[in-house]
Amino acid sequence: MSQPSMSEALRGVVRRDLLLAMRHRSDVAMSVFFVVIVASLFPLGVGPEPAVLRMIASGVLWVTALLACLLSLGRLFTADYLDGVLEQTLLIPQPLAVLVVGKVFSHWVISGLPVVLLSPLLGLQFGLSGDSLVVLTLSLLLGTPTLSMIGAIGAALTLGLRGSGLLVALLVLPLFIPVLIFGAGAVTNSLAGVGSEANLSLLGACFLLSLAFAPWATAVALRIALE
Amino acid sequence: MSVNVPSDVEITPGDSRFLYYSTLRQFIYFRSGRISPNMFQTVALSGSRGERQLFSDVSVTVKPGTLLAVVGENGSGKTSFLRMLCGLLSPDRGTILWEGKDIRQLKELYSAQLTYVGHLNGIKDELTPVENLTVSACLAGDECAGGAVPKALEAVGLARPVHRLPTRVLSQGQKRRVALARLWLSTRPLWLLDEPFASLDVTATNYLTQRLHAHLSHGGMVVVATHQDIAIPPDFVQQLRLTR
Amino acid sequence: MSNTGINWFKYSSPQAFHLLAGRMIPWFSVVSIGLILIGLYIGFFVAPTDATQGDAYRIIFVHVPAAWMSMFLYVIMAIWAGIGLGLNARPSFMMAQAIAPTGAMFTFLALFTGSMWGKPTWGAWWVWDARLTSELILLFQYIGIILLRSSIDDLRRADRASAVLALVGVVNVPIIYFSVKWWNTLHQGASVSITAAPTMAGTMVTAMLVMMFGFWMYSIAVTLARVRCVIADRERLPSWGKQASMADVAEAR
């Protein structure tokens, strides 16, 4: 009996999810459009003052990214749960936490990465320039995987519950706060001319911490949800 | 080396000769290096869903080369029992032993011994049968290279043209066949099947029965939750009726 | 709460625990009422008037102990949740379930009194002070746990899922506190430091401690009362009133 190695299993999970995403390209487009539309609404509501826009840019873009992540969390496990693939995933002879990392990674590629790639454009809309654009993109690159990791815990806990979309927001948003603070803070600092390295390294620390704990917690939550 | 097990002799699990023949069969396949002798048992297993007690004190032993048919009326807990055997559901009381060791301790080592085809097919509607089967077999550690997957699909009666269609457009029975095709790739000793014959036609039922028979005669073990009789010689079969 | 010198294994069955809890509630209630009355007396009549804030500061004799209890109860809840997950012990989950509303209540009390204190002191009902903000997030977490539990019908899953959330939260609370503090120093101006209060008189500290112990005893009493309800509800106990004795319990088992 040949067992797949851990990395093979990881790659298998990622490949299937990305293959599925390729069949549903509109899903990817949706989170991108969501971010664009929400980010475009703020200037309409607040007014076109460039100074004001530049001041709120980091907060608005970060909160938008947060909401985009939140909205796509429903897709993370629900389909697998309904068609029985999740059940089979639990029976794969590999640590479930590792497979969860694979699922979260592909989820991030589908819903987080497009937002990161788009962020410089949105930053321009808000009058950010030069360094702060780079910092915005970097902070999102470091922060959005953490959001997906933490979000996975909430998605697993609320799997298959009625009203799970709203519930997952209530559970997960408080947990997103540190990432929001460090991420938006990095951009604010770079606008103020203060170094943003501290904030970025804290974002990195958050990522490592979530990588260490979140997959494990998600695995436990998935087992509970499937009982 | 060959030992003839007389096929015309009626042997039931209660018969003293049953142990002899199944041990013999097991020994042959152990020697031929195909499957090691394993033993699967539950001890005083009790399960419930929510507030409702489903079954209690179920102690049963599945020896290599035997099929355990789990029967019982709707809602008697067949699916829960099978999910418990997989380790997906924890029992209220009792233990499940694989080669004498608690499966909760074995964890992934135990998952590597079983193939489970559940009530849900576990296949993706958007993927083709070949893609579905390749991914799930690779992940489970079964054979998934090149020709093995189409061969398995053909063995379960799915013709080549169907292999490249999205599973979404297939009928219920065809989807079930895709899920069951995993059994043609599986080299695991323990198969746990939840209503495998549901929505299968006569041809597919025959294919599956033959496959189960082959697995049993190689010393494998099968646990089936089912409503219907399985056309497998009774000396391979023991029955477990779940009641409150 | 965990070290009462009682053999917990003997009481690990819900029925027996139900009885034990019933016996302990009156004691904790009496002690808690006594302590809270003494604490309020010291706080409102013995403690001196503050030089800068006048008498308005006296709300801290409720505010500070409530804030302490809110955090303490969260940790205790998480510990019960952890024990429940680790040992698969139903009574632990019941304890965690029973603590959550009391914890949320104290968090709300701390926020409410904090805001009452803030108006005369800072001139605003709400300031984005690091501690107040963290307390608000703590309230969100309590509410999240209670909501998650109530939206799961299967008791076993409800127990275990909310336990996981409680444990995730206990890792997060310090990170959130730290990050909010960081954020607060980043945005100077709005920040008002509570720690800058002048050295407190000994009577003030005494009053706060007495109040805290009073709240603590109150939490135990209320939690035990709630656990009794939870047990009665889950085990469908037929009127486990005064007439039920240990002999009945033995029979029932």
Side-chain angles (χ1 to χ4, degrees):
Chain A
M1 232 173 305
S2 69
Q3 275 210 38
S5 73
M6 217 179 266
S7 61
E8 271 170 12
L10 194 67
R11 253 176 300 165
V13 170
V14 173
R15 199 185 309 129
R16 171 163 57 196
D17 280 8
L18 292 184
L19 196 61
L20 282 169
M22 287 301 289
R23 304 276 150 91
H24 281 287
R25 266 171 240 141
S26 59
D27 279 7
V28 183
M30 265 194 275
S31 57
V32 172
F33 276 119
F34 174 80
V35 170
V36 173
I37 289 175
V38 173
S40 314
L41 286 180
F42 275 89
L44 296 176
V46 176
E49 292 305 318
V52 176
L53 287 183
R54 204 171 302 126
M55 204 175 73
I56 63 166
S58 62
V60 167
L61 294 177
W62 258 95
V63 170
T64 312
L66 216 108
L67 293 177
C69 173
L70 197 66
L71 286 180
S72 60
L73 280 180
R75 290 204 297 264
L76 187 50
F77 296 119
T78 309
D80 283 6
Y81 175 68
L82 293 178
D83 59 23
V85 168
L86 193 57
E87 207 169 57
Q88 295 291 345
T89 309
L90 258 61
L91 293 174
I92 292 171
Q94 290 295 336
L96 184 55
V98 174
L99 305 172
V100 165
V101 172
K103 292 228 48 120
V104 172
F105 173 75
S106 30
H107 174 260
W108 175 77
V109 169
I110 298 159
S111 66
L113 189 59
V115 176
V116 175
L117 295 177
L118 197 71
S119 58
L121 276 179
L122 295 171
L124 281 177
Q125 259 193 327
F126 280 79
L128 295 183
S129 60
D131 270 359
S132 21
L133 275 182
V134 176
V135 171
L136 173 71
T137 316
L138 259 180
S139 69
L140 282 169
L141 187 65
L142 275 170
T144 44
T146 316
L147 298 183
S148 294
M149 287 280 183
I150 298 172
I153 305 175
L157 284 174
T158 57
L159 196 56
L161 301 182
R162 63 197 133 77
S164 63
L166 209 52
L167 188 59
V168 78
L170 297 176
L171 301 189
V172 154
L173 283 177
L175 304 179
F176 280 173
I177 288 169
V179 181
L180 171 68
I181 288 174
F182 298 139
V187 184
T188 314
N189 272 8
S190 95
L191 275 177
V194 196
S196 51
E197 291 82 7
N199 274 298
L200 289 177
S201 14
L202 282 169
L203 272 181
C206 282
F207 172 64
L208 291 180
L209 202 68
S210 70
L211 189 63
F213 288 107
W216 177 78
T218 310
V220 173
L222 282 177
R223 286 197 194 281
I224 292 169
L226 276 179
E227 278 221 330
Chain B
M1 169 174 156
S2 77
V3 177
N4 286 321
V5 180
S7 56
D8 53 333
V9 188
E10 278 284 301
I11 307 170
T12 56
D15 199 314
S16 60
R17 286 172 300 172
F18 177 79
L19 188 64
Y20 167 73
Y21 283 123
S22 64
T23 316
L24 194 63
R25 203 153 46 207
Q26 187 184 323
F27 180 71
I28 298 164
Y29 289 103
F30 178 55
R31 282 296 299 271
S32 65
R34 293 165 92 161
I35 287 175
S36 62
N38 301 299
M39 182 88 102
F40 183 56
Q41 58 192 146
T42 71
V43 179
L45 207 61
S46 302
S48 56
R49 289 308 278 160
E51 311 272 299
R52 202 161 55 96
Q53 177 82 36
L54 291 171
F55 47 83
S56 55
D57 281 336
V58 177
S59 296
V60 64
T61 301
V62 183
K63 295 195 187 72
T66 59
L67 179 145
L68 176 69
V70 183
V71 296
E73 48 197 83
N74 292 337
S76 60
K78 295 190 292 294
T79 294
S80 297
F81 183 71
L82 240 67
R83 288 170 56 85
M84 222 170 257
L85 297 190
C86 290
L88 288 171
L89 200 65
S90 24
D92 289 356
R93 279 184 303 281
T95 39
I96 301 161
L97 302 174
W98 174 258
E99 292 180 326
K101 294 188 204 85
D102 193 333
I103 63 163
R104 275 171 292 191
Q105 256 100 61
L106 291 173
K107 288 179 183 152
E108 285 92 27
L109 288 176
Y110 173 65
S111 316
Q113 307 296 322
L114 66 90
T115 297
Y116 171 65
V117 179
H119 166 67
L120 297 166
N121 285 328
I123 52 176
K124 286 284 172 196
D125 272 353
E126 297 85 347
L127 303 182
T128 67
V130 171
E131 285 166 341
N132 263 311
L133 200 54
T134 308
V135 173
S136 60
C138 283
L139 279 175
D142 294 328
E143 197 182 347
C144 59
V149 168
K151 236 167 90 186
L153 287 171
E154 271 170 9
V156 80
L158 290 170
R160 289 262 168 183
V162 180
H163 296 187
R164 298 287 162 194
L165 296 175
T167 315
R168 172 168 34 88
V169 303
L170 304 187
S171 74
Q172 279 305 323
Q174 284 175 313
K175 284 181 189 171
R176 195 65 182 153
R177 289 188 196 205
V178 176
L180 288 166
R182 283 187 53 207
L183 297 179
W184 272 260
L185 298 171
S186 167
T187 49
R188 312 300 175 81
L190 178 62
W191 292 358
L192 302 164
L193 314 175
D194 193 357
E195 296 287 357
F197 299 102
S199 64
L200 288 189
D201 58 17
V202 181
T203 329
T205 305
N206 285 337
Y207 289 146
L208 181 59
T209 311
Q210 280 163 23
R211 180 62 189 155
L212 294 184
H213 199 182
H215 181 61
L216 293 172
S217 51
H218 288 178
M221 288 169 259
V222 182
V223 180
V224 185
T226 185
H227 283 298
Q228 52 200 106
D229 289 330
I230 309 168
I232 282 179
D235 59 326
F236 288 100
V237 180
Q238 55 174 326
Q239 205 179 59
L240 171 69
R241 181 167 290 279
L242 290 182
T243 46
R244 294 273 171 97
Chain C
M1 207 178 290
S2 54
N3 190 14
T4 41
I6 291 165
N7 178 8
W8 284 99
F9 284 106
K10 185 176 160 194
Y11 294 105
S12 62
S13 98
Q15 289 89 341
F17 187 69
H18 187 264
L19 273 182
L20 173 75
R23 287 197 195 136
M24 294 192 326
I25 290 169
W27 295 100
F28 283 112
S29 313
V30 169
V31 174
S32 100
I33 292 172
L35 284 175
I36 290 174
L37 287 178
I38 294 171
L40 286 178
Y41 177 77
I42 301 176
F44 280 83
F45 299 103
V46 180
T49 305
D50 188 80
T52 50
Q53 302 182 28
D55 277 329
Y57 90 96
R58 288 183 196 275
I59 193 82
I60 64 165
F61 295 119
V62 179
H63 172 74
V64 174
W68 284 344
M69 280 316 291
S70 68
M71 284 178 255
F72 178 67
L73 284 178
Y74 195 94
V75 173
I76 296 295
M77 178 180 72
I79 290 174
W80 280 116
I83 294 175
L85 279 179
L87 303 179
N88 201 11
R90 275 188 306 156
S92 316
F93 289 125
M94 293 177 188
M95 284 300 286
Q97 174 181 3
I99 290 171
T102 311
M105 189 277 285
F106 275 119
T107 318
F108 180 75
L109 188 64
L111 284 172
F112 186 74
T113 52
S115 146
M116 276 170 63
W117 185 26
K119 185 62 187 166
T121 316
W122 302 321
W125 291 110
W126 182 261
V127 289
W128 290 94
D129 167 74
R131 295 187 191 199
L132 271 180
T133 313
S134 303
E135 197 71 17
L136 182 67
I137 294 160
L138 189 68
L139 181 63
F140 292 159
Q141 295 211 8
Y142 270 121
I143 292 173
I145 289 169
I146 295 170
L147 278 177
L148 179 65
R149 168 178 289 283
S150 61
S151 49
I152 304 177
D153 295 327
D154 183 63
L155 272 181
R156 195 180 144 78
R157 184 179 169 190
D159 277 343
R160 295 157 68 83
S162 43
V164 170
L165 187 62
L167 286 175
V168 170
V170 97
V171 177
N172 252 280
V173 167
I175 302 175
I176 290 173
Y177 177 71
F178 169 70
S179 65
V180 174
K181 211 170 165 182
W182 174 272
W183 164 78
N184 206 254
T185 48
L186 201 76
H187 301 261
Q188 281 298 335
S191 113
V192 177
S193 176
I194 302 180
T195 44
T199 48
M200 278 193 289
T203 43
M204 293 188 190
V205 177
T206 314
M208 276 194 221
L209 283 177
V210 171
M211 284 297 284
M212 193 199 73
F213 279 109
F215 282 173
W216 191 353
M217 296 303 119
Y218 164 82
S219 307
I220 297 177
V222 170
T223 302
L224 289 178
R226 205 173 282 122
V227 157
R228 271 170 70 88
C229 294
V230 171
I231 294 174
D233 188 36
R234 290 196 187 187
E235 310 286 320
R236 305 233 184 288
L237 297 183
S239 66
W240 283 91
K242 293 180 182 74
Q243 73 275 27
S245 67
M246 288 305 283
D248 296 330
V249 174
E251 260 172 48
R253 294 180 75 186

